[in-house]
Amino acid sequence: MSYHRAPWPATRMRRMRKDDFSRRLMRENTLTVDDLIYPVFVLDGEQRTEAVPSMPGVERKSIDLLVEEARELADLGVPAMALFPVTPAEVKSLDAAEAWNPEGLAQRATRAIKAAVPHMGVITDVALDPFTTHGQDGILDDDGYVLNEATVTALVKQALSHADAGADMVAPSDMMDGRIGAIRQALEEQGHTLTRIMAYSAKYASAYYGPFRDAVGSAANLGKADKTTYQMDPANSDEALHEIGLDLAEGADVVMVKPGMPYLDVVRRVKDEFRVPVYAYQVSGEYAMHMAAFQNGWLDQDKVMMESLLAFKRAGADGILTYFAKAAAVKLAGRG
């Protein structure tokens, strides 16, 4: 950039850092509760909770308890929750048909939350991995390759079932080609013209997802397989711009970069290039690393949590999916 400031000592950069008032007046980015989305794991049954060992402080919860959580989050001003179902093993299948069951976990949870807390935004995950016996995000051919068109057909059914249940925003996280356009067309044809699409457009084949797969119960199904034939290579960022451009052209309202902090350079590039709503996901592995350091006393929990979230804003993220959302909202409200 061109530089027009007078040299030192006429310019002393530390002057504006001297006092709290001037630091506040020159602050470029601010984190607020409006930036936060809380991912939650949905269990079958009633009055049930299960701890996620690899994610200290995170619990899987039954729908009735999630409704209570939605009320607490609404009181704190958190605008939205993202639902991830823990699918019972007995209903998993090769074709993932449980994904579009109108009485499935995600569908029932959506209806319950919207009935109890209508103004809470409900975001649903559109992907097949929680519902397949093999843990992949799609329908496989005989060689184990994920078939694109067959998977998109299934994803459309799933997205429509979520919209029918009252989801405010569907979030395809599968990384199939063309699925945003197919889902948008189906939503329009079925009268869901205001259902938003948050596209996981730049979702990388990352090693940071391990605790999440434990949480939703897909890790054992996936085994030692990986998702490199459809999720992005961590080496690439130009490719992310192509993916996002395609999803926007197909009708995405919001685009997502995942994981978060290791990919903030991608968030910045996307925001600079497209100037659209860009979200990022502070994923399970990021959360687990932070929590391990906090529990060992190596890092200050409140300060590092808030600094990590502010980093997303500085990089250009408009929304942050984070397991710290509730704790951060408490902190921002001055209650903790």
Side-chain angles (χ1 to χ4, degrees):
M1 66 179 180
S2 59
Y3 201 75
H4 303 294
R5 300 293 293 266
W8 183 88
T11 297
R12 290 180 181 265
M13 296 299 290
R14 290 180 58 194
R15 282 195 201 107
M16 288 295 288
R17 302 177 196 148
K18 165 70 166 57
D19 296 301
D20 179 65
F21 86 89
S22 53
R23 290 194 296 270
R24 288 163 56 200
L25 285 169
M26 69 178 285
R27 188 161 292 146
E28 298 172 28
N29 295 282
T30 303
L31 177 74
T32 76
V33 71
D34 297 336
D35 301 314
L36 304 174
I37 298 167
Y38 194 35
V40 294
F41 300 107
V42 188
L43 269 181
D44 216 347
E46 294 182 359
Q47 293 294 302
R48 289 186 64 201
T49 63
E50 290 180 355
V52 181
S54 55
M55 299 177 70
V58 171
E59 293 182 320
R60 310 175 186 97
K61 294 186 177 183
S62 55
I63 292 171
D64 53 334
L65 298 181
L66 276 185
V67 168
E68 294 178 15
E69 185 114 80
R71 292 192 176 102
E72 294 174 20
L73 292 166
D75 179 61
L76 289 166
V78 175
M81 302 167 67
L83 307 184
F84 297 94
V86 183
T87 307
E90 60 270 19
V91 297
K92 295 186 179 188
S93 62
L94 289 173
D95 65 358
E98 180 66 13
W100 54 91
N101 178 0
E103 295 303 316
L105 268 173
Q107 291 83 349
R108 284 185 282 126
T110 297
R111 290 195 295 268
I113 292 169
K114 293 305 294 184
V117 193
H119 60 284
M120 173 60 66
V122 173
I123 302 171
T124 56
D125 182 48
V126 177
L128 304 186
D129 53 323
F131 308 96
T132 57
T133 49
H134 44 69
Q136 296 286 359
D137 293 52
I139 310 301
L140 304 185
D141 67 11
D142 293 340
D143 296 321
Y145 184 76
V146 175
L147 295 167
N148 198 88
E149 279 74 2
T151 299
V152 169
T153 298
L155 295 170
V156 168
K157 295 177 185 178
Q158 185 182 21
L160 285 175
S161 76
H162 292 175
D164 288 341
D168 300 292
M169 182 179 284
V170 294
S173 64
D174 56 285
M175 288 300 287
M176 296 300 112
D177 292 335
R179 90 276 204 213
I180 301 301
I183 290 170
R184 174 57 73 205
Q185 181 179 348
L187 290 171
E188 290 287 325
E189 290 174 352
Q190 295 299 315
H192 296 296
T193 58
L194 298 180
T195 302
R196 282 133 284 192
I197 297 177
M198 177 176 72
Y200 285 61
S201 299
K203 182 177 181 180
Y204 286 84
S206 171
Y208 283 89
Y209 303 146
F212 176 91
R213 291 172 184 162
D214 292 338
V216 298
S218 65
N221 300 94
L222 186 62
K224 294 183 178 180
D226 61 38
K227 302 187 177 185
T228 53
T229 67
Y230 47 99
Q231 294 178 355
M232 281 185 53
D233 186 334
N236 298 349
S237 67
D238 288 346
E239 184 185 14
L241 300 186
H242 292 295
E243 288 280 9
I244 282 161
L246 288 166
D247 284 355
L248 289 170
E250 291 176 23
D253 300 289
V254 176
V255 293
M256 162 82 79
V257 175
K258 182 182 180 183
M261 292 181 71
Y263 294 82
L264 291 182
D265 61 314
V266 180
V267 174
R268 181 76 267 165
R269 287 195 69 187
V270 171
K271 191 63 177 179
D272 288 345
E273 178 72 21
F274 294 101
R275 301 292 178 180
V276 297
V278 179
Y279 292 7
Y281 200 142
Q282 189 177 43
V283 299
S284 59
E286 298 173 64
Y287 174 84
M289 290 191 303
H290 279 105
M291 289 302 298
F294 300 158
Q295 291 180 338
N296 280 283
W298 298 333
L299 293 173
D300 181 289
Q301 180 162 349
D302 285 348
K303 290 180 180 178
V304 170
M305 173 181 71
M306 301 307 282
E307 182 180 339
S308 74
L309 296 174
L310 183 61
F312 284 90
K313 294 294 294 179
R314 190 187 65 247
D318 300 287
I320 309 161
L321 282 85
T322 174
Y323 302 98
F324 289 124
K326 190 174 182 181
V330 170
K331 188 76 175 172
L332 289 166
R335 301 185 194 178

